[in-house]
Amino acid sequence: VARLDEERAVRLLERMLAPTGTHPEHVLLGIGDDAAVLTAPGGKLVWTVDVNVAGVHFDLKWLPLLDIGWRSLQAAASDLAAMGARPLGAVSSLILPPGFSSQRLARLAQGQAQAARELGCPIVGGNLSRGGELSVTTSVLGSARRPLLRSGARPNDELWLVGDVGLAAAGLGVLQRAARTRSKAAGRCVRAWRRPSALISAGQQLSGRARAALDVSDGLGKDAARLAAASGVRLVLVESRLRGLLRPELCSVAALLRKDPLWLALEGGEDYALLAAGPRARRPRLARPIGRVERGTGAVLEHEDGRCSPLESLGFDHFRR
Amino acid sequence: VARLDEERAVRLLERMLAPTGTHPEHVLLGIGDDAAVLTAPGGKLVWTVDVNVAGVHFDLKWLPLLDIGWRSLQAAASDLAAMGARPLGAVSSLILPPGFSSQRLARLAQGQAQAARELGCPIVGGNLSRGGELSVTTSVLGSARRPLLRSGARPNDELWLVGDVGLAAAGLGVLQRAARTRSKAAGRCVRAWRRPSALISAGQQLSGRARAALDVSDGLGKDAARLAAASGVRLVLVESRLRGLLRPELCSVAALLRKDPLWLALEGGEDYALLAAGPRARRPRLARPIGRVERGTGAVLEHEDGRCSPLESLGFDHFRR
């Protein structure tokens, strides 16, 4: 029996679920990007789904139910942000373990409702079931005139980062190591992990300027490699540029955790920043240059001395944890 | 700590997830009907989600993975059928237990792909996660010019049934009781449970003729009570009419299971028939009259002698099982 990892399973599903011929005309983009793109009568729809399972994606010890609700919607909406889409709404499907009280359900739903208000993304439907463990599956639908795909980066494009990376991983590290710190920096990192925000408005600003984008959910290293693969190019992330963008809070907490802050930025997931590529002249103000697109394949980190390290092996895989 | 049943939990979620004011203008209908209704640029979208959890909604002993895949998509699409919508696509979110092989995943996906082809509902996206138990969450999106809601039934409407009821419950009974029968009737019932079909084309025929509809997923009795509540009317199901419509295969298997076939029809779930209400003169050919709509509340079964029994207490609740 073959071992199943996430990339392998996704490829298998793509193969199995591809229709015998091609998709019907209204399906502009199926499995493989941040979200699917459909034409409905009169416009383009962007549609995706995300799941959070207790014990896999989060530990109930470190994440209050309010934040589980908040994060589940923000994480799903982040795929819309990466496409430059405006949210239309969400449907939420909950599996609740035995003994899950209505009080706990109310806190979870309150977190979802808070995120829905912040995002302008109302929860319009849902489903409930009993099951062995808590899980929250969130499907979000948005509209976009020209959805921003992963596949459009071209050689000579600049590589842009929108939002911060590494803070969420540092925050999770603080919680996991039960690091006894009440520092402001640690609090900021914990909050980045517990209360991420999908960069919807930034995604819309990128749209029309960037040629390709994705959201950084599994670590900048791994997601850069995905963008490179989807666009058929090589991405070069410049270490000095990245180091220059790291937040002081991240550097301070990284020291506490005895980790390189750059490693947290490249390897740590769940930041929901956006990585995009586009012509230098069209870079929007909120995007910070962190490297370049070249002919070739893969994603690398270019060190100060000019040497390059491959980034594919970094990043984490929810599926394996 | 308050005990949580499905209806209570749904009410709680409706309350929690209702936005502070009202929904934005593009949300025509939120939580509470078979699916949400949105206006996207140029048309109306109908959107819903359904979940199937191993050990709650099905037993892996009795349901091959191919059929789990098939059923999950058909069950979700049935909500589109009830709205008279045409499917645009589906996104599928899978939680896989440890040791779930790629061969098993392939069979599950094959069942989904078969149903997608039959329904003309391509699977355009998805998500995978590890977890303690297998679950399949399916969100489907469709379009409809005039979505058929649960809330439109009026006194003096006729009550219509499209499709069969009771066969799926009989089929599950055959499997659960390990009834040693190779009869054609038993095979037909087992197949009705394992391989239901969403009545998409029938739903489109009802649209424009019926005033209200829902799909019968939790038993005709319970779903009739839901239609009555949503429309603010009383539904009278006429026993003799219903008995006259029961399939011979159902009656034969019911005898084997020592159950009243009518009880299986009223109490048994997962048939995915459609229950609708509309003016007698507009009844489409495929709809069979089974009762009437009156002023009042609740749903009752009218016996041959004119007495009426309430139907609310029948039907099953996935949440409690």
Side-chain angles (χ1 to χ4, degrees), chain B residues 11-283:
Chain B
R11 280 196 304 276
L12 186 146
L13 285 175
E14 280 170 3
R15 209 168 56 235
M16 294 301 303
L17 297 178
T20 37
T22 52
H23 276 308
E25 257 176 48
H26 71 270
V27 179
L28 302 183
L29 185 69
I31 297 170
D33 211 296
D34 290 304
V37 179
L38 310 178
T39 39
K44 277 179 197 161
L45 297 171
V46 175
W47 186 21
T48 187
V49 63
D50 191 54
V51 65
N52 279 279
V53 182
V56 178
H57 299 88
F58 59 84
D59 192 317
L60 283 160
K61 263 190 300 187
W62 300 316
L63 198 61
L65 284 159
L66 194 72
D67 294 335
I68 292 170
W70 171 277
R71 274 172 112 244
S72 61
L73 187 55
Q74 296 284 354
S78 179
D79 284 326
L80 297 189
M83 288 270 197
R86 186 177 66 86
L88 290 168
V91 298
S92 157
S93 181
L94 305 177
I95 297 178
L96 307 179
F100 199 84
S101 68
S102 56
Q103 285 81 353
R104 300 184 77 203
L105 179 59
R107 280 200 296 279
L108 177 64
Q110 195 189 342
Q112 290 180 301
Q114 286 174 358
R117 277 192 296 273
E118 205 224 34
L119 290 163
C121 180
I123 296 172
V124 298
N127 196 285
L128 274 181
S129 172
R130 282 264 176 253
E133 71 211 340
L134 176 66
S135 74
V136 183
T137 300
T138 312
S139 181
V140 286
L141 187 68
S143 64
R145 279 203 309 174
R146 283 203 304 170
L148 201 47
L149 310 188
R150 294 179 178 185
S151 53
R154 294 189 210 159
N156 300 319
D157 277 351
E158 233 182 22
L159 206 52
W160 304 332
L161 182 67
V162 180
D164 293 308
V165 286
L167 290 172
L172 181 58
V174 166
L175 293 167
Q176 282 177 331
R177 282 157 194 81
R180 296 260 169 250
T181 169
R182 302 240 183 282
S183 77
K184 256 193 167 167
R188 172 82 180 72
C189 291
V190 167
R191 191 169 167 81
W193 183 67
R194 284 187 173 156
R195 289 260 157 178
S197 281
L199 301 178
I200 295 290
S201 138
Q204 286 170 330
Q205 288 178 58
L206 283 174
S207 171
R209 289 171 171 271
R211 277 202 261 258
L214 51 50
D215 67 318
V216 183
S217 52
D218 292 337
L220 185 56
K222 188 168 191 176
D223 285 318
R226 285 182 178 145
L227 189 66
S231 289
V233 295
R234 170 181 153 101
L235 300 193
V236 181
L237 280 69
V238 178
E239 180 175 350
S240 58
R241 290 266 191 189
L242 266 179
R243 286 206 185 269
L245 294 177
L246 300 180
R247 287 261 186 188
E249 300 95 308
L250 172 61
C251 299
S252 134
V253 171
L256 189 86
L257 298 171
R258 293 161 198 268
K259 299 220 165 173
D260 182 347
L262 186 69
W263 186 86
L264 288 170
L266 288 168
E267 199 270 354
E270 306 181 301
D271 281 306
Y272 305 109
L274 300 176
L275 177 66
R280 186 177 178 171
R282 277 158 57 189
R283 184 201 323 144

Side-chain angles (χ1 to χ4, degrees), chain A residues 1 4 8-9 16 26 30-31 36 41-42 47 49 51 57 88-89 100-102 106 109 113 124 127-130 132-133 319, chain B residues 1 4 8-9 16-17 26 30-31 36 41-42 47 49 51 56-57 88-89 100-102 106 113 124 127-130 132-133 319:
Chain A
V1 173
L4 196 59
R8 196 187 139 96
M16 293 302 302
H26 71 270
I31 298 170
W47 186 22
V49 63
V51 64
H57 299 87
L88 290 168
F100 200 84
S101 69
S102 55
V124 298
N127 195 286
L128 274 181
S129 172
R130 282 262 177 256
E133 72 210 340
F319 203 66
Chain B
V1 174
L4 196 59
R8 196 187 139 94
M16 294 301 303
L17 297 178
H26 71 270
I31 297 170
W47 186 21
V49 63
V51 65
V56 178
H57 299 88
L88 290 168
F100 199 84
S101 68
S102 56
V124 298
N127 196 285
L128 274 181
S129 172
R130 282 264 176 253
E133 71 211 340
F319 203 67

Side-chain angles (χ1 to χ4, degrees), chain A residues 10-126:
Chain A
V10 168
R11 280 196 305 274
L12 187 147
L13 286 174
E14 281 171 2
R15 210 170 53 236
M16 293 302 302
L17 298 178
T20 37
T22 54
H23 276 310
E25 256 176 50
H26 71 270
V27 180
L28 302 183
L29 184 70
I31 298 170
D33 211 297
D34 290 304
V37 180
L38 310 177
T39 38
K44 277 180 196 159
L45 297 170
V46 175
W47 186 22
T48 187
V49 63
D50 192 53
V51 64
N52 280 279
V53 183
V56 178
H57 299 87
F58 59 85
D59 192 316
L60 283 160
K61 264 191 299 187
W62 300 316
L63 198 61
L65 283 158
L66 195 71
D67 295 335
I68 293 171
W70 171 278
R71 275 173 111 243
S72 62
L73 187 55
Q74 295 284 354
S78 179
D79 285 326
L80 297 188
M83 288 270 196
R86 186 178 67 85
L88 290 168
V91 298
S92 157
S93 181
L94 305 176
I95 298 178
L96 307 179
F100 200 84
S101 69
S102 55
Q103 286 81 351
R104 301 184 76 204
L105 179 59
R107 280 201 296 279
L108 177 64
Q110 197 189 340
Q112 291 180 299
Q114 287 174 357
R117 276 192 296 274
E118 205 224 33
L119 289 163
C121 180
I123 295 173
V124 298

